[in-house]
């Protein structure tokens, strides 16, 4: 986590510095929590004392960096606000700065230093997440739906967060009383820069933390990717590594639906499995390493294809914040929305007992309880296995006669070996019990053959019944099938006017990959493969004589 560079490595690094060495006096602030565009500093003489924020008024030492060591974590790769503070040691410090662009150049330009620096910076972010230090602080009831939404958003985007429960005596309750906050103001979010947000949306939280970059409507990107799932992140990594300017937008978090998977066990190269969260986090770090911009949480509202000829700058993407971006090419990797079963009052309990993913946050909330899970696919099986280790009893509810037609054999075998999992075949959840104040208190199971209804007391219901294509924002710009999946290749050609390349849509320069594409294989490996393959097609489009060179 805190390597020391040799004299030879320091000489290599010097060639990539963004400026001349700078000297700071004893105790002088080198960088602070929440400060934007903080460079990574390579210490040449003296030391930097690095601390994190533990709560609104407490500091905790992280390390003291001496000659040959460097400051920063993955935020510095993208120029985002610092999550730690650094002061010059008792003898001052002389250090060499590396801003985001020069730090990325160093990481890419020297394989040896690149591996060492990337590993250290990722481990430092992981350590901050584990301690909750230097990130945002959420104050409210720890099981309140709004607080859980914010906690889930920050956690899935790999930002450290600490929770202070106002029901417990201590700092959380003291802050609420000192600021004169009312119950309707909660949850409150304290940002690293000192700002206080009352009941913030994900977008407001992201803006305060610097997660959402400032996007210029006049800038022309080579590639804009809509969706930060495995397919979109693969495109970002390969396109940015080949010198194209890339922007990725996503309305929620990196990783897409795969990012919410507790364990992926059939992805090539990971024989013991890997969580979707870990896989997405690694891909996100790679994308930042090569200079791709990732904007969260921004929803694509409408694609405007103003230039049917496919000339450069013919695509404009309107965003949920009221702005827009322009691009020479566009990649549709928007995946799918969670499918909702036909259950009355379902929306009342979403985030208040009903979940569409099973992360460690949800697992902790339902520990030693009785829960139900709807779904018979692989995602449902992975979630069932993960939750079964935490809960007292899990009811797996499917409408079919068994799991064999929809779930991988290894998951079926694993579920059958779990004594606390009860499989309900040809059954549906017919109704939910409870209210917005108490949350979910029970569910009614109905047997399809007999019509018999049984009531189960439970506070947590997980739904994994697939998803529908997230393609409404395309506004007729490209052709889709009757289900809304985007047509590509020969299926998208207009009366033989041109033969679209395999991942190209009915409009030249617009491509579709991953789950949103008609006929795609709904597997993480397939999505990553399409994300890599589409970059070659983008280069082919950009090399056309009627397209301005990137």
């Amino acid at each position: 986590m805190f390597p020391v560079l040799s004299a030879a490595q320091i000489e290599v690094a010097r060639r990539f510095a963004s400026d001349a060495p700078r000297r700071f006096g004893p105790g002088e602030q080198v960088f602070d929590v929440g400060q934007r565009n903080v460079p990574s500093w390579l210490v040449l003489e003296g030391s930097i004392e690095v601390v994190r924020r533990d709560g609104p008024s407490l500091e905790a030492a992280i390390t003291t960096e001496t000659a040959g060591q460097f400051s920063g974590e993955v935020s510095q790769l993208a120029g985002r606000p610092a999550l730690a503070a650094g002061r010059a040691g008792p003898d001052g410090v002389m250090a060499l700065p590396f801003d985001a662009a020069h730090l990325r150049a160093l990481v890419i330009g020297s394989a040896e230093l690149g591996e060492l620096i990337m590993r250290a910076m990722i481990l430092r972010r992981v350590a901050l997440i584990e301690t909750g230090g230097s990130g945002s602080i959420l104050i409210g009831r720890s099981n309140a739906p709004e607080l859980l939404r914010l906690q889930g958003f920050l956690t899935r985007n790999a930002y450290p967060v600490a929770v202070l429960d106002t029901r417990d005596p201590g700092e959380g309750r003291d802050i609420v009383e000192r600021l004169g906050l009312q119950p309707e103001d909660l949850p409150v979010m304290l940002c690293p820069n000192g700002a206080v947000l009352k009941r913030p949306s994900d977008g407001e939280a992201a803006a305060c933390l610097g997660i959402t970059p400032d996007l210029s409507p006049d800038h022309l990107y080579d590639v804009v990717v809509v969706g930060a799932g495995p397919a979109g992140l693969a495109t970002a990594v390969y396109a940015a590594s080949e010198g194209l300017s890339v922007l990725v937008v996503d309305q929620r978090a990196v990783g897409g639906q795969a990012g919410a998977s507790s364990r992926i066990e059939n992805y090539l190269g990971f024989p013991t499995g890997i969580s979707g969260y870990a896989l997405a986090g690694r891909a996100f770090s790679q994308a930042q390493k090569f200079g791709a911009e990732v904007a969260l949480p921004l929803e694509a509202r409408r694609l405007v294809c103003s230039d049917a000829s496919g000339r450069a700058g013919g695509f404009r993407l309107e965003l949920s914040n009221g702005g827009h971006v322009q691009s020479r090419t566009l990649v549709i990797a928007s995946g799918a929305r969670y499918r909702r079963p036909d259950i009355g009052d379902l929306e009342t309990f979403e985030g208040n007992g009903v979940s569409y993913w099973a992360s460690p946050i949800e697992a902790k909330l339902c520990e030693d309880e009785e829960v139900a899970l709807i779904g018979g696919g692989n995602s449902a099986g992975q979630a069932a296995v993960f939750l079964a280790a935490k809960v007292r009893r899990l009811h797996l509810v499917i409408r079919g006669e068994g799991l064999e037609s929809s779930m991988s054999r290894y998951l079926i075998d694993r579920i059958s070996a779990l004594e606390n999992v009860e499989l309900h075949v040809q059954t549906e959840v017919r109704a939910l019990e409870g209210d917005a104040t108490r949350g979910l208190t029970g569910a009614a199971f109905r047997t399809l053959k007999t019509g018999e209804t049984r009531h189960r007391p439970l506070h947590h219901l997980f739904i994994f019944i697939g998803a529908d294509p997230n393609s409404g924002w395309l506004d007729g710009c490209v052709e889709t099938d009757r289900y809304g999946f985007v047509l590509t290749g020969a299926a998208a050609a207009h009366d033989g006017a041109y033969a679209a390349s395999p991942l190209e849509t009915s409009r030249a320069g617009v491509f579709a990959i991953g789950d949103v594409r008609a006929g795609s294989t709904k597997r993480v490996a397939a999505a990553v493969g399409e994300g890599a393959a589409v970059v070659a097609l983008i280069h082919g489009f950009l090399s056309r004589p009627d397209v301005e060179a990137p």
Side-chain angles (χ1 to χ4, degrees), residues 480-522:
T480 63
D481 67 13
R482 60 191 179 122
Y483 302 106
F485 291 96
V486 180
L487 296 172
T488 59
H494 280 299
D495 301 322
Y498 76 102
S501 55
L503 301 174
E504 195 166 22
T505 68
S506 56
R507 189 170 293 272
V510 179
F511 304 86
I513 57 175
D515 289 359
V516 73
R517 186 176 72 84
S520 66
T521 303
K522 307 301 189 274

Side-chain angles (χ1 to χ4, degrees), residues 90-110:
D91 298 322
V93 66
M94 185 169 73
L96 205 56
F98 296 81
D99 62 20
H102 289 79
L103 179 61
R104 293 195 301 267
L106 170 59
V107 167
I108 296 170
S110 170

Side-chain angles (χ1 to χ4, degrees), residues 60-230:
I62 296 177
T63 189
T64 297
E65 291 168 337
T66 57
Q69 293 185 293
F70 54 89
S71 68
E73 45 84 48
V74 290
S75 291
Q76 275 56 68
L77 288 167
R80 291 180 174 173
L83 294 180
R87 291 185 289 268
D91 298 322
V93 66
M94 185 169 73
L96 205 56
F98 296 81
D99 62 20
H102 289 79
L103 179 61
R104 293 195 301 267
L106 170 59
V107 167
I108 296 170
S110 170
E112 178 189 3
L113 287 176
E115 180 181 354
L116 183 148
I117 291 170
M118 284 299 297
R119 181 188 296 115
M121 289 191 161
I122 290 170
L123 289 174
R124 293 174 189 181
R125 171 60 72 89
V126 170
L128 288 174
I129 292 171
E130 289 175 346
T131 62
S134 289
S136 56
I137 300 169
L138 301 179
I139 303 173
R141 289 189 299 110
S142 60
N143 62 345
E146 286 294 297
L147 190 145
L148 290 173
R149 171 185 56 78
L150 281 168
Q151 187 181 8
F153 168 72
L154 296 172
T155 300
R156 284 197 61 185
N157 285 296
Y159 265 76
V161 58
V163 176
L164 300 178
D165 198 321
T166 53
R167 295 172 298 182
D168 300 330
E171 196 171 19
R173 186 182 295 180
D174 293 343
I175 291 171
V176 168
E177 293 174 355
R178 188 164 65 247
L179 297 179
L181 299 171
Q182 301 302 313
E184 58 269 22
D185 296 327
L186 302 179
V188 164
M189 176 175 166
L190 305 184
C191 300
N193 62 6
V196 179
L197 305 181
K198 300 176 182 178
R199 297 180 67 88
S201 65
D202 291 350
E204 290 168 336
C208 196
L209 293 172
I211 297 176
T212 309
D214 296 325
L215 302 175
S216 170
D218 299 322
H219 181 78
L220 183 63
Y221 291 93
D222 295 325
V223 189
V224 167
V225 183
V226 179

Side-chain angles (χ1 to χ4, degrees), residues 281-514:
R282 295 180 185 195
F284 181 45
S285 295
Q286 276 181 295
Q288 290 186 100
K289 167 184 171 179
F290 290 115
E293 287 187 70
V294 182
L296 304 163
L298 281 180
E299 182 181 2
R301 285 287 172 84
R302 180 169 174 254
L303 176 61
V304 181
C305 294
S306 56
D307 188 351
S309 69
R311 289 188 178 276
F315 309 113
R316 189 179 82 219
L317 183 66
E318 296 180 355
L319 303 169
S320 55
N321 64 354
H324 71 269
V325 291
Q326 299 183 75
S327 180
R328 292 179 171 90
T329 64
L330 187 127
V331 176
I332 304 165
S334 47
R337 292 190 178 94
Y338 297 110
R339 191 171 292 155
R340 290 166 166 78
D342 185 17
I343 303 174
D345 294 330
L346 181 64
E347 292 184 1
T348 302
F349 302 102
E350 290 179 334
N352 199 11
V354 172
S355 300
Y356 296 91
W357 53 82
S359 76
I361 295 174
E362 285 75 33
K364 185 175 181 180
L365 286 172
C366 61
E367 197 168 6
D368 295 326
E369 292 192 21
E370 187 169 335
V371 305
L373 190 152
I374 305 175
N378 278 358
S379 295
Q382 291 160 354
V385 171
F386 171 69
L387 290 169
K390 312 288 184 181
V391 303
R392 186 177 73 254
R393 189 157 197 81
L394 186 145
H395 300 278
L396 184 56
V397 182
I398 62 171
R399 293 176 62 89
E401 296 182 356
L403 297 171
E404 288 75 10
S405 63
S406 57
M407 189 179 292
S408 295
R409 187 73 244 175
Y410 79 94
L411 284 171
I412 296 174
D413 294 340
R414 194 167 296 175
I415 289 171
S416 64
L418 296 171
E419 295 182 354
N420 64 335
V421 175
E422 182 178 349
L423 179 62
H424 301 264
V425 299
Q426 293 190 310
T427 303
E428 65 180 4
V429 175
R430 191 62 181 170
L432 302 178
E433 301 161 3
D435 53 51
T437 303
R438 294 178 299 158
L440 184 67
T441 59
F445 291 11
R446 176 176 174 268
T447 304
L448 298 178
K449 275 189 175 181
T450 64
E452 177 188 359
T453 299
R454 291 170 292 167
H455 293 269
R456 296 279 182 179
L458 49 89
H459 297 96
H460 301 277
L461 172 66
F462 297 87
I463 300 175
F464 287 81
I465 59 171
D468 296 312
N470 188 7
S471 57
W473 57 276
L474 295 170
D475 197 36
C477 204
V478 301
E479 285 191 345
T480 63
D481 67 13
R482 60 191 179 122
Y483 302 106
F485 291 96
V486 180
L487 296 172
T488 59
H494 280 299
D495 301 322
Y498 76 102
S501 55
L503 301 174
E504 195 166 22
T505 68
S506 56
R507 189 170 293 272
V510 179
F511 304 86
I513 57 175

